Amino acid sequence: MISRKIKRGIARTAITLMLAAAMPCSAITAWAANANLTFSDPSAAVGSDVTVTMKITSTSGDALGRASIMLSYDASALEFVSGDNASGGAGSVSVRPSADGGDGTEMVSTLTFRPLKAGESKITVSTQEIYDSNESLVTLDHQGNSTVTVSAQEGASSDAALSSLQVSPGTLDPAFSSSVTEYSVQVGEGVSKIAVSAEASSGNATVSIQGDSNLQMGDNTVTCIVTAEDGQTTTTYTIHVNKVEGGPSEPVTAAGDLTAVINGAQYTVAQAFDVNTLPEGFEQISYSYKGNDVMAAQGTEKDLLLMYLNDEEGGGDFFIYNSESDSWTPYMELSTTSKTVVILPVDNDVTIPDGFTEGIMNLENGRKASGWVPAGEENPQYWLFYGMNWNGDKALYRYDLEENTIQRYFQEPIGSNGTVSADQYQELVNEHQDLINQYENRGMIVIILSVVSGLLLIAVIVTAVKSRKGSTAAETAGRTRRRAAAEAAVSAEKEQEKLPEKSTEKSVSRRAPAPEQEEESDDGFEIIDLDEEGSAGADDNGEDDEFEFIDIDDDDKK
């Protein structure tokens, strides 16, 4: 039978193994940090650079690691100049800050913009990925944006009037006058959008139109807001559109002729748009689109045709129209700002990426500069050099030999064939496989320890059950042996009664208990150990019995 100490030892071992099995699961659980993403709201004048500060602050006290932030801004109002670990332009900036020194609970980046026009302009977060020092994604408690307030230059025009205003379909009532700001027009029940053509008196003023789509039965309000060059003076022209049965509908043919479906979304070709919104390099023309005369734009150098489309929510933008295939493509452009970078000799702590070989660049002034080009390429596309920007920052730069543009070198090292080298690829594969093996091994250990713990627990339960059953059986066997002994004693007594009287007397005189013991005993039988030291070792028959039962309550043996 297993002792209590052994049982306790087995139970403690099982509990220890179960706790050990749970430890790997807790070891791979990491709680990510929390942080705030905030911006400054600077002010500046047109023509003067403005600095926006972006700050990521840990609110949980955990150390931050790195971040990748994509910002959006109005390219017509601001021009991106430079920034800490930032690059971009044409309305988007990519910022990749890292934690500062100290406790690493802050990441700060400064971005420089050049205001292009007066007024307020927003810089917002398009996407963000922030990681703590353990490479876990950070949860943002607050995500802000920047409002840049730009004042006009001295002498900027405050003219915020319109020089012309037209609608289609329908006719303005009263007739347009730049001093009149309230108009009304009637349209038919089949008209869902109204085309508004508005031209500002000042070429530097801007015009925005709202409420010209999704017209409902009854009264609708369309506004035309003119903002002067100074960015503060505005004039609002209001058009009350009454949609009724029998009112004017869109001209010429069915309204569906002005409908364009692009990637499953429905648009309407605008018959007019603000000429001030034309992209650079395009001029206004009149174009017949499926029998409807609409305002369009033709590239002065580019063989492209643009038209303005309105979506179902009222938003609008320019699209490239291919008349041969009757297809549309969103008009998107990417522009860069000019910059000057001073070519420097390489510092001792700068490492040239693998896959490059030394190459000489012929500059415009006839001088030659030393740099690097991709190894093995007969006609390299770009040239790598070490330089300093106007802000004093040193870095590797890449010069595009085809388009004569410069950008900071952020790419991973590449091989001669334009891809990652075989050694680098194999190293990445090995690291990836090691990580997979570690997680798989950790999972197997958890499973094995769980199974072993379960088996040990079952063994403890089975052992306890068997021990209890064995103890019960032993007690039952003991009672059975005592009963058998008593029955044997009674049988022996009956045999003695049959012996001769002399033999019986001798036996009684030799084995009769003392009077004191007879008075103290209440039992019908007394057990005498005949094998005890100092007692006879055998009975008269020479048999070595361990016990003899004597009836001490028999009245004839007193």
Side-chain angles (χ1 to χ4, degrees), residues 28 45 47 60 73 102 131 151-152 158 193 203 223 232 270-271 303 309 317 348 350 358 370 373 397 411 434 473 478:
I28 61 177
S60 59
Y73 63 93
Y131 298 88
S151 59
S158 61
K193 299 179 183 179
T223 57
Q232 299 179 2
Q271 293 183 302
D303 185 17
L309 303 185
D317 209 341
N348 294 330
V350 176
E358 188 173 357
S370 177
V373 294
Y397 286 85
Q411 295 185 3
D434 288 343

Side-chain angles (χ1 to χ4, degrees), residues 35 54 73 111 139 171 239 241 309 340 395 399-400 408 410 439 450 478 527 557:
M54 183 185 76
Y73 63 93
L111 308 171
T139 301
T171 303
I239 305 172
V241 181
L309 303 185
T340 300
Y399 181 78
D400 191 311
R408 291 187 65 180
F410 286 116
Y439 280 102
S450 300
I527 302 173
K557 297 180 181 180

Side-chain angles (χ1 to χ4, degrees), residues 510-511 530-531 536-546:
R510 182 169 61 89
R511 298 187 178 101
L530 301 181
D531 291 336
D539 59 13
D540 295 341
N541 297 327
E543 294 178 357
D544 189 8
D545 296 328
E546 293 182 356

Side-chain angles (χ1 to χ4, degrees), residues 41 49 111 125 190 224 229 293 332 360 424 452 487 527 542:
D41 297 320
D49 289 352
L111 308 171
V125 178
C224 181
E229 182 184 9
D293 290 332
M332 296 176 288
I360 303 300
Q424 292 171 331
V452 171
E487 292 175 352
I527 302 173

Side-chain angles (χ1 to χ4, degrees), residues 75-90:
S76 66
L78 297 173
E79 177 185 1
F80 175 70
V81 178
S82 63
D84 298 335
N85 299 314
S87 62

Side-chain angles (χ1 to χ4, degrees), residues 10 12 34 41 73 95 100 149 269 329 334 360 379 398:
I10 294 174
R12 290 185 185 132
N34 290 57
D41 297 320
Y73 63 93
V95 189
D100 297 335
T149 304
V269 180
T329 304
L334 180 65
I360 303 300
N379 298 308
R398 186 168 72 172

Side-chain angles (χ1 to χ4, degrees), residues 53-113:
T53 301
M54 183 185 76
K55 183 183 293 186
I56 305 172
T57 306
S58 173
T59 58
S60 59
D62 299 289
L64 302 174
R66 60 185 179 88
S68 176
I69 312 292
M70 183 63 72
L71 303 177
S72 298
Y73 63 93
D74 184 0
S76 66
L78 297 173
E79 177 185 1
F80 175 70
V81 178
S82 63
D84 298 335
N85 299 314
S87 62
S92 298
V93 177
S94 174
V95 189
R96 298 179 178 273
S98 56
D100 297 335
D103 56 6
T105 56
E106 277 192 353
M107 292 191 284
V108 181
S109 296
T110 57
L111 308 171
T112 302
F113 292 86

